[in-house]
Amino acid sequence: MQLPAWQTALAEAFNDPQSLLSYLQLKPENLAERQLAQHQFSLKVPRHYAELMAKGDPHDPLLRQILPGGEELVDRAGFIDDPVGDLQAKQQPGLLHKYQGRVLILTTGACGVHCRYCFRRHYPYQNGTATPAQWQSILDTIRNQSSIQEVILSGGDPLMIHDPRLAKMVAELRALPQLKRLRLHSRLPVVLPQRITPELLELLSSNRLQSIMVVHTNHPNELSPALAEACEKMRSAGITLLNQSVLLKGVNDDAETLVRLSEGLFEIGVLPYYLHLLDRVTGAGHFEVESNRIESLKAQLLQQLPGYLVPRMVREIAGEASKTPV
Ligand SMILES: *Cc1c(COP(=O)(O)O)cnc(C)c1O
Ligand code: SF4
């Protein structure tokens, strides 16, 4: 059987710093520390995403998001392995129920790209992900709680699951009468736009549930023509498109970049939803933005953008009943 194009592209993703640096015409520097950082969380970058980076620029904002480096090995006070309390909130394997009316399913541990700032970089996915066997008990749990109206497929990245299995999962969710909405959080439309297959569009739209796709972009350079095309297809299929970003030092911590991101997203039919402050996860301290700078950015965004293009700035605090506005 022939693999879908997106799976072939994933198999060809960069997986070591040296070949990525050489592709970008950068000096292969600090490879020993990069290897050490790789042991904690490996490098993974589809070629499409690498093509959006500037050749010869070691400070490229997309490169900074994915290149392992020695700064990750520095211990920082307050940075821990499970900053958002996922392990504590875990009711049953693969299911997180922290907020009223919506549950989050950890469908897979796999991602199409490895983001160095990711709060799940230390998450023990082996026991935290829904296996097909656990899936049935997740469905039972949802069925027995009539207050749950929305299911969020997350991970990892739910679009790493191939379409036939995803179609089966969605069909089973659709059969739960109290569910109204199905939300997916994914970075694949950004790093691998060919993932938006006709089969995926079909399974998300031929369906009584309202579908929402929360894409995850952090910088306007990520808004490629291929992403615009994928978004156009999703919109035509009736899927509501939102974006979430993480505020990252050296990537998007200036008003000009964030304004361009919001405007660029709107041009391709995506509304800014959340701008998350960094989760204080071990190894990501070099991405943290100082609090006075955060305040000033917030004021500038309010001033420079129409209200509907200002993302809600939030932080996730373990044990809280929602994301916490900043
Ligand atoms: C972030 C999150 C949600 C979604 O929260 P919204 O404010 O609805 O976007 C739901 N469940 C969990 C466990 C979450 O971490
Ligand atoms: S795609 Fe999302 S879950 Fe996966 S590494 Fe990046 S931020 Fe983390």
Side-chain angles (χ1 to χ4, degrees):
M1 202 182 82
Q2 207 189 345
L3 284 178
W6 67 271
Q7 287 184 13
T8 314
L10 264 184
E12 291 163 359
F14 287 102
N15 55 18
D16 73 285
Q18 196 158 6
S19 54
L20 177 65
L21 291 172
S22 125
Y23 166 78
L24 292 171
Q25 298 165 12
L26 289 168
K27 286 197 211 102
E29 283 173 338
N30 308 322
L31 286 181
E33 0 185 295
R34 296 196 197 287
Q35 284 304 340
L36 283 175
Q38 274 249 89
H39 288 312
Q40 293 188 359
F41 193 44
S42 62
L43 177 144
K44 183 173 185 181
V45 191
R47 285 180 183 261
H48 170 74
Y49 195 70
E51 283 163 12
L52 303 175
M53 299 173 191
K55 297 267 167 71
D57 179 6
H59 305 295
D60 181 90
L62 277 52
L63 178 64
R64 181 167 165 84
Q65 294 179 53
I66 54 83
L67 183 66
E71 61 279 12
E72 294 173 35
L73 308 169
V74 180
D75 252 335
R76 291 181 206 240
F79 281 73
I80 57 174
D81 283 358
D82 180 26
V84 301
D86 273 359
L87 297 177
Q88 177 194 322
K90 205 169 59 174
Q91 289 183 322
Q92 70 183 85
L95 186 72
L96 290 175
H97 191 183
K98 292 194 201 172
Y99 306 152
Q100 190 178 322
R102 51 229 197 267
V103 289
L104 188 150
I105 302 178
L106 301 166
T107 54
T108 166
C111 289
V113 62
H114 286 176
C115 316
R116 309 315 298 174
Y117 54 84
C118 181
F119 75 96
R120 293 207 171 106
R121 52 182 288 158
H122 304 287
Y123 199 77
Y125 279 119
Q126 315 73 277
N127 17 355
T129 301
T131 63
Q134 290 157 350
W135 175 251
Q136 283 310 321
S137 81
I138 290 177
L139 290 177
D140 288 341
T141 303
I142 299 173
R143 193 177 291 112
N144 293 330
Q145 294 193 48
S146 56
S147 64
I148 299 171
Q149 301 194 318
E150 177 171 352
V151 163
I152 302 168
L153 300 183
S154 181
D157 197 310
L159 291 186
M160 291 294 280
I161 299 169
H162 57 109
D163 291 327
R165 186 169 156 227
L166 211 48
K168 196 159 168 284
M169 291 165 75
V170 171
E172 287 172 325
L173 289 169
R174 183 174 51 200
L176 304 178
Q178 88 274 25
L179 285 190
K180 293 184 173 162
R181 293 180 298 275
L182 175 68
R183 190 192 325 175
L184 288 88
H185 279 248
S186 177
R187 199 145 158 71
L188 281 190
V190 182
V191 301
L192 205 68
Q194 62 266 61
R195 176 63 188 94
I196 307 306
T197 58
E199 292 77 15
L200 178 69
L201 295 166
E202 168 73 18
L203 75 91
L204 289 179
S205 58
S206 61
N207 184 332
R208 70 168 183 86
L209 300 172
Q210 281 187 291
S211 295
I212 303 147
M213 179 74 70
V214 184
V215 299
H216 179 165
T217 67
N218 297 317
H219 192 280
N221 292 1
E222 295 174 352
L223 308 181
S224 66
L227 173 64
E229 200 184 311
C231 288
E232 176 59 36
K233 288 181 190 160
M234 288 192 278
R235 284 207 316 149
S236 304
I239 301 166
T240 300
L241 299 179
L242 304 172
N243 180 67
Q244 69 170 19
S245 306
V246 181
L247 185 63
L248 299 167
K249 186 175 187 170
V251 174
N252 59 10
D253 60 333
D254 63 282
E256 190 266 338
T257 300
L258 290 171
V259 165
R260 273 202 296 133
L261 177 60
S262 273
E263 289 183 339
L265 284 166
F266 190 69
E267 278 167 28
I268 62 172
V270 184
L271 277 175
Y273 179 40
Y274 279 142
L275 176 56
H276 286 269
L277 299 196
L278 184 73
D279 295 311
R280 294 200 169 106
V281 65
T282 316
H286 56 293
F287 285 115
E288 190 162 69
V289 179
E290 297 75 21
S291 55
N292 55 355
R293 192 168 172 84
I294 292 172
E295 283 306 314
S296 131
L297 280 172
K298 198 181 153 187
Q300 290 176 76
L301 292 186
L302 282 171
Q303 200 178 34
Q304 296 176 29
L305 284 167
Y308 59 89
L309 292 187
V310 181
R312 300 162 184 77
M313 220 188 246
V314 291
R315 184 187 277 295
E316 182 156 357
I317 300 176
E320 294 287 307
S322 71
K323 309 283 188 259
T324 307
V326 178

